[in-house]
Amino acid sequence: NTAALEDNQNDTLAPYYPASAEEANEANAVSEEAVGAEDTAKAGGNAVSRLAAKFNSTVAYFEKGITNWATENIAAYKTWVGAATGYNKILRWSVTPRDGYNSVVFLADGSLTTFVGKQDMTDKANSILQLKAYADELGIQFLYVQYPFKISEADPESGTLDFSNQNANEKLGLLRAGGAQVLDLRQAWAEDGNDDSAAYHRSAFYVTDHHWRAETGLWAAGTIAKYVNDNFAGQIDLSVFEPDRYQYDVYEGLFLGSYGRQATLTLAKPEDFTLVYPKFETSFSFPLLNAVQQAGLTEEQQQEMQTLEEKVHELDGSFEMFFDYSMLKSGDYYNTDTYTTYSDNVSDLVYIHNNLVDNGEKVLFLRDSYGRSLVPFFALGVSDTMRLRPDTFDGSLRTYMATERPNI
């Protein structure tokens, strides 16, 4: 999974928001994907244990990277893995090992996923609460949004093999106890559909990938907007998130998610991919962030920035500029990640300005890859939208917040 590398914020954005030594690890604590040995490193009481845990985390990172690279590149890899999974299917082996086959678990309904172990969420929650406290100092309203996982609490694997929800429950409890506002999309999805079954829960996701569907991203954007209106006195027009105001172009059998690519086409079947976009008029522009505008640039840097502005201005226009149509290649399952058709990272140095909305809402998303199919929809309802990936940003979140001054 290359989602964590989809942006280049270390190289382009961080220099404008320098981090102090004590803030160096703050960003990763907010990321939902920082798990395992990294938490052990934070909890370790001595330098040796922290160093060992960091080493293990690094090894695990590269091991995963090598596996994914091999899946895509080594000659005959797909053939041999496909043959092995095919034999499993023919023999009807029903026992799924703890880490699944090729790190992928096949659930009873055919969905593909991975398992997450039990974690102590104290340090992560405390880091988020520290960030919330700083937002309070700046007068910025803070909301933590918990996205759903592929496995729901209604699944038999939950609490026995997979602890995603248990970890999240612990974290949200600590955040609420610390005074943070929390929106739990797991609960909101069940309540919205009046259905807490595992089957309904799974309908929010792609079968062969860990991400939610674009339709779910649109729903999540509207759900967050409603929470902002109800709890932060927001002025967002919720009608822009109504499903019937959108066009749904279905590309049949186009998408094979990251789990499907690991399992290969022998066992994983390509699924439909839907391109969702508004049927109403839209207009966006992309101004430079405050810190970039205020930076003391050399003459050469000023010329580079002028070139960037000219390129960005070429993108000014309708909602469709958020799409990367090159990702809609038919049949190129192993070399194309169709999910990244939704691309909300035009440039790390700009923010999204909605030319048709003047409600004064300026929102900063500290997002992960789920934000690809959420942030563009949310931007339809507010004046300005900024987005930042904490796990790819080595700058200071505090400096960013103090300079850009979102209101949420």
Side-chain angles (χ1 to χ4, degrees):
N1 186 351
T2 59
L5 303 177
E6 67 188 30
D7 296 341
N8 195 26
Q9 294 173 336
N10 286 341
D11 294 335
T12 61
L13 192 58
Y16 295 96
Y17 308 93
S20 60
E22 58 268 27
E23 290 180 302
N25 293 321
E26 182 181 76
N28 284 334
V30 182
S31 172
E32 197 68 43
E33 299 171 355
V35 296
E38 188 171 81
D39 292 315
T40 305
K42 294 175 183 175
N46 57 71
V48 174
S49 63
R50 290 196 298 272
L51 182 61
K54 184 176 181 179
F55 174 79
N56 289 334
S57 179
T58 303
V59 170
Y61 173 84
F62 280 106
E63 181 181 274
K64 181 177 181 180
I66 290 170
T67 298
N68 291 337
W69 182 89
T71 302
E72 303 300 329
N73 295 286
I74 292 180
Y77 181 91
K78 300 181 186 70
T79 301
W80 289 110
V81 171
T85 52
Y87 282 124
N88 286 347
K89 188 174 183 180
I90 293 171
L91 294 173
R92 299 183 184 276
W93 287 350
S94 59
V95 178
T96 302
R98 171 63 180 82
D99 293 325
Y101 186 85
N102 194 28
S103 299
V104 174
V105 174
F106 304 90
L107 300 177
D109 62 2
S111 293
L112 279 62
T113 190
T114 56
F115 290 148
V116 174
K118 189 74 176 74
Q119 301 164 38
D120 182 351
M121 305 302 289
T122 304
D123 288 333
K124 184 173 290 187
N126 286 340
S127 296
I128 296 170
L129 289 173
Q130 289 172 13
L131 188 62
K132 186 261 183 191
Y134 185 68
D136 291 344
E137 291 180 22
L138 297 177
I140 300 172
Q141 298 178 102
F142 187 91
L143 173 64
Y144 186 86
V145 179
Q146 176 63 59
Y147 60 69
F149 305 101
K150 195 77 170 282
I151 293 178
S152 75
E153 292 187 271
D155 283 301
E157 293 88 353
S158 182
T160 55
L161 293 172
D162 178 82
F163 295 86
S164 300
N165 290 286
Q166 288 70 27
N167 294 336
N169 292 341
E170 178 188 344
K171 177 183 59 185
L172 296 188
L174 292 169
L175 293 180
R176 290 187 175 111
Q181 294 241 34
V182 171
L183 171 58
D184 190 345
L185 292 180
R186 300 172 301 169
Q187 179 181 350
W189 179 258
E191 291 177 351
D192 202 52
N194 194 28
D195 190 341
D196 61 358
S197 69
Y200 176 73
H201 175 89
R202 203 101 69 234
S203 68
F205 296 87
Y206 295 108
V207 174
T208 62
D209 199 81
H210 65 288
H211 291 109
W212 55 27
R213 299 177 184 276
E215 298 92 327
T216 313
L218 170 60
W219 167 85
T223 302
I224 295 171
K226 184 177 186 306
Y227 188 97
V228 168
N229 283 356
D230 293 345
N231 296 274
F232 296 151
Q235 302 296 317
I236 304 174
D237 178 8
L238 299 182
S239 70
V240 301
F241 307 109
E242 294 175 358
D244 60 0
R245 299 190 66 188
Y246 288 79
Q247 179 69 34
Y248 301 84
D249 293 346
V250 179
Y251 293 78
E252 296 183 359
L254 181 71
F255 181 49
L256 187 68
S258 59
Y259 295 154
R261 293 195 296 273
Q262 284 183 259
T264 77
L265 287 166
T266 301
L267 195 61
K269 181 181 178 181
E271 55 189 305
D272 295 347
F273 184 84
T274 305
L275 203 62
V276 183
Y277 54 93
K279 292 189 286 188
F280 52 88
E281 181 185 2
T282 59
S283 177
F284 294 97
S285 56
F286 303 89
L288 292 172
L289 290 163
N290 289 337
V292 181
Q293 295 181 40
Q294 298 165 7
L297 304 177
T298 65
E299 184 176 345
E300 182 180 356
Q301 289 172 325
Q302 289 175 356
Q303 291 176 350
E304 292 176 355
M305 200 60 61
Q306 183 177 353
T307 301
L308 170 64
E309 287 190 89
E310 292 173 355
K311 290 182 179 179
V312 168
H313 287 324
E314 292 176 2
L315 294 170
D316 291 356
S318 70
F319 185 87
E320 289 187 77
M321 57 72 45
F322 290 115
F323 296 151
D324 181 355
Y325 287 100
S326 69
M327 294 294 103
L328 297 175
K329 298 177 181 177
S330 179
D332 192 10
Y333 296 114
Y334 292 118
N335 299 309
T336 301
D337 185 359
T338 308
Y339 177 74
T340 61
T341 300
Y342 291 89
S343 175
D344 69 333
N345 52 354
V346 178
S347 169
D348 295 326
L349 302 179
V350 303
Y351 63 93
I352 304 168
H353 177 68
N354 191 328
N355 297 316
L356 303 181
V357 174
D358 188 25
N359 57 16
E361 301 290 359
K362 188 176 184 180
V363 181
L364 167 62
F365 280 87
L366 302 180
R367 68 169 185 87
D368 60 11
S369 55
Y370 281 67
R372 277 187 173 272
S373 57
L374 185 159
V375 173
F377 292 120
F378 189 89
L380 290 164
V382 297
S383 298
D384 297 312
T385 307
M386 295 172 287
R387 63 272 186 271
L388 188 70
R389 279 200 64 136
D391 57 345
T392 65
F393 180 56
D394 280 347
S396 167
L397 285 175
R398 295 183 180 187
T399 304
Y400 189 104
M401 292 162 62
T403 306
E404 304 305 331
R405 292 287 176 152
N407 53 26
I408 300 175

